[in-house]
Amino acid sequence: MSKSITGFSKLSKSKKIDWIVETYFSNTEEAKRVLKQYWSTDEKLQQLHDEFIENTITNYYLPLGVAPNFLINDTLYTIPMAIEESSVVAAASKAAKFWLERGGFKTRVISTTKIGQVHFIYKGDFNKLKQFFNKTKSKLIQDSKAITANMEKRGGGIIDIELRDKTDDINDYYQLHASFETLDAMGANFINSCLEQFAKTLKNEALLFDGFYAEEKQIDIVMSILSNYVPDCLVRAEVSCKVEDLSDNDTVSGEVFANKFIQAVNIAEVEPYRAVTHNKGIMNGIDAVVLATGNDFRAVEAGVHAYASRHGKYSSLTHAKIENGLFTFWMEIPLALGTVGGLTSLHPLVKLALELLHKPSAKELMQIVAVAGLAQNFAALRSLTTTGIQQGHMKMHLMNILNQFEANDEEKETITEHFKTNTVTHSAVVEAINKLRVKK
């Protein structure tokens, strides 16, 4: 029977575990064993992991794989990917190899502007508020100098602050809409600190503004927070080659492949049900690299999907065309990433992943991550429009099924050989295991 607890966060890790296993598990010793087997034997490393979040009881492992042979702007990369889904790393690697022989990926950063907002309620004359804002704008920036000084030394800082009238949406609702350049930092803490200072200055200066009536002076700050929607923090990735060079076998011509591929992209551009799955495949590649490099994949996901809906209908992030005999497949995507601060300087595997990528700047990481998403989408569409997605996916999933049934090495070898020429389905694998074990 579950029960509530007070002061849980103040308990030691061992006491937390004692309470959890005694409250929720019938076999307390087995539950403890599973939790503890994922602890690092290096006490210092384990303490580091324990302190990443509150109430840590163990470490949760994801496989960290690599996809080699990515040629990006004439530089070769091996890309780290942290993900649990079978076939993602294999698909990315296959796409990388395909385009390695066709000139590789071309990328460029379009813009790197990030956004933060102070949301507030003002009950009064908008023209007065606009006059007050114009008078106070320089003060907002000046009062933030202690926060922005180091960032400005590196070439970043506050780009601009706008006053936005949102009263058509909510009565008396206004915003300070601020844009920032945060260079190699993702910049969440920097932006939020600036915004909170803006809010403080806005509120204080309103009390001193002679143009306001008493009620107008009482600006009510609702919240000050960065936005994870970053449509002006954009990167473009693309691949292109002659249409005839798209064929790598004798069964499908480059022209047939290209036309069917473009049709698949066009469907994702107009059909939201398809677009969601299409874009999910892109995010398989993007999230895996974002996670491996210690960045916030939830923020990236939210911003990307908002961007996919920017025209009022959810649509494909990727596009394809044939022009003058040249096939081009591309994507422009918003990515707010960092290579300094946060986990990038704390997590040992994140540091290793960034070194594997030649210690990229934030702009370089944006390009690498975008390429991983484009490659993943290319591989998925290539499978969908030729052999079908399940053939490759289920072969990669085969090992997961075998591990569910605790197959030994001999069984794995025999069954893997069998499915080189047979269709992999869950029921077919179960049947093969059972037959093999009956023979024994």
Side-chain angles (χ1 to χ4, degrees):
M1 181 69 181
S2 298
K3 56 186 178 182
S4 63
I5 183 173
T6 57
F8 182 77
S9 64
K10 295 180 174 63
L11 297 177
S12 66
K13 185 165 73 169
S14 62
K15 291 292 185 184
K16 289 186 179 84
I17 291 171
D18 286 343
W19 181 82
I20 287 168
V21 299
E22 287 165 10
T23 304
Y24 292 100
F25 296 93
S26 55
N27 189 335
T28 58
E29 290 307 310
E30 174 61 12
K32 278 187 181 181
R33 185 193 68 78
V34 172
L35 290 172
K36 290 183 178 181
Q37 73 179 355
Y38 286 94
W39 290 2
S40 173
T41 54
D42 183 327
E43 290 185 8
K44 188 176 180 182
L45 180 62
Q46 185 55 55
Q47 184 180 354
L48 179 68
H49 281 70
D50 286 348
E51 293 173 356
F52 282 154
I53 61 171
E54 192 175 59
N55 296 341
T56 304
I57 56 173
T58 192
N59 306 316
Y60 187 91
Y61 290 178
L62 284 176
L64 178 65
V66 294
N69 298 317
F70 273 94
L71 184 63
I72 305 174
N73 296 338
D74 300 320
T75 299
L76 267 173
Y77 291 89
T78 294
I79 297 181
M81 306 179 81
I83 191 167
E84 87 299 340
E85 185 172 335
S86 59
S87 80
V88 168
V89 176
S93 300
K94 195 170 183 180
K97 185 77 180 297
F98 181 91
W99 287 106
L100 176 65
E101 300 163 359
R102 292 164 177 81
F105 296 82
K106 303 301 178 187
T107 62
R108 63 184 175 90
V109 172
I110 298 170
S111 54
T112 56
T113 301
K114 295 164 188 173
I115 299 298
Q117 297 166 320
V118 177
H119 306 269
F120 66 94
I121 302 298
Y122 163 77
K123 296 181 179 180
D125 184 335
F126 175 63
N127 289 323
K128 288 185 183 180
L129 181 64
K130 191 158 59 172
Q131 182 186 359
F132 165 69
F133 171 73
N134 291 335
K135 179 177 182 294
T136 311
K137 182 176 177 179
S138 60
K139 175 74 169 169
L140 293 169
I141 295 170
Q142 184 59 41
D143 285 359
S144 304
K145 284 293 182 184
I147 301 166
T148 62
N150 287 335
M151 185 68 76
E152 287 175 353
K153 284 178 185 176
R154 301 195 296 273
I158 302 162
I159 297 172
D160 195 16
I161 309 172
E162 303 170 35
L163 173 66
R164 293 196 172 181
D165 181 350
K166 305 293 289 183
T167 54
D168 285 345
D169 299 317
I170 299 175
N171 289 341
D172 306 320
Y173 166 41
Y174 298 87
Q175 293 174 359
L176 293 184
H177 186 91
S179 51
F180 300 85
E181 171 58 64
T182 62
L183 305 170
D184 287 337
M186 190 276 171
N189 290 332
F190 168 75
I191 292 172
N192 287 336
S193 295
C194 288
L195 294 172
E196 289 183 1
Q197 181 58 56
F198 294 167
K200 185 177 178 181
T201 299
L202 185 76
K203 197 170 177 66
N204 291 341
E205 291 300 309
L207 296 173
L208 303 174
F209 185 58
D210 293 336
F212 285 154
Y213 294 132
E215 185 182 25
E216 290 171 328
K217 290 176 181 283
Q218 302 304 317
I219 287 178
D220 181 18
I221 306 297
V222 179
M223 56 185 166
S224 308
I225 186 71
L226 89 163
S227 173
N228 291 128
Y229 184 41
V230 285
D232 294 319
C233 190
L234 279 178
V235 58
R236 179 185 173 98
E238 71 173 52
V239 285
S240 63
C241 68
K242 293 179 180 178
V243 169
E244 58 265 30
D245 292 341
L246 283 169
S247 178
D248 62 352
N249 58 58
D250 296 327
T251 58
V252 180
S253 72
E255 185 178 3
V256 169
F257 169 78
N259 285 322
K260 202 167 183 183
F261 188 98
I262 291 170
Q263 285 177 336
V265 174
N266 289 344
I267 289 169
E269 287 175 335
V270 301
E271 172 49 66
Y273 281 90
R274 172 58 199 144
V276 170
T277 308
H278 178 95
N279 290 346
K280 184 268 180 186
I282 294 169
M283 300 313 293
N284 279 342
I286 286 175
D287 284 350
V289 188
V290 170
L291 191 56
T293 56
N295 277 273
D296 186 345
F297 71 92
R298 286 90 46 198
V300 168
E301 281 270 357
V304 165
H305 293 304
Y307 189 76
S309 306
R310 68 194 182 281
H311 298 307
K313 181 180 178 181
Y314 191 87
S315 182
S316 168
L317 292 160
T318 53
H319 310 281
K321 66 179 180 179
I322 297 173
E323 202 170 77
N324 299 323
L326 195 70
F327 169 83
T328 305
F329 179 51
W330 77 96
M331 174 173 68
E332 289 182 5
I333 193 167
L335 292 172
L337 303 173
T339 55
V340 298
L343 283 186
T344 60
S345 57
L346 283 176
H347 198 299
L349 281 177
V350 169
K351 289 192 280 188
L352 203 70
L354 290 171
E355 186 171 354
L356 177 65
L357 293 172
H358 313 308
K359 297 183 178 179
S361 65
K363 285 184 177 180
E364 289 166 340
L365 185 59
M366 286 171 70
Q367 294 169 84
I368 293 164
V369 170
V371 162
L374 190 71
Q376 197 66 36
N377 193 225
F378 178 82
L381 291 177
R382 189 177 180 216
S383 293
L384 281 168
T385 57
T386 53
T387 61
I389 201 75
Q390 285 301 90
Q391 184 183 91
H393 179 76
M394 289 307 293
K395 283 191 175 180
M396 291 302 299
H397 192 52
L398 174 60
M399 198 56 62
N400 287 343
I401 301 172
L402 293 175
N403 284 330
Q404 283 176 10
F405 286 87
E406 298 182 349
N408 59 37
D409 290 343
E410 184 183 343
E411 289 171 331
K412 287 178 180 178
E413 185 177 346
T414 301
I415 292 171
T416 300
E417 187 64 32
H418 170 76
F419 282 107
K420 283 181 179 178
T421 54
N422 291 275
T423 301
V424 178
T425 66
H426 190 276
S427 58
V429 176
V430 173
E431 184 181 349
I433 290 173
N434 290 336
K435 281 184 179 178
L436 188 61
R437 288 177 175 175
V438 166
K439 287 180 182 179
K440 293 181 181 179

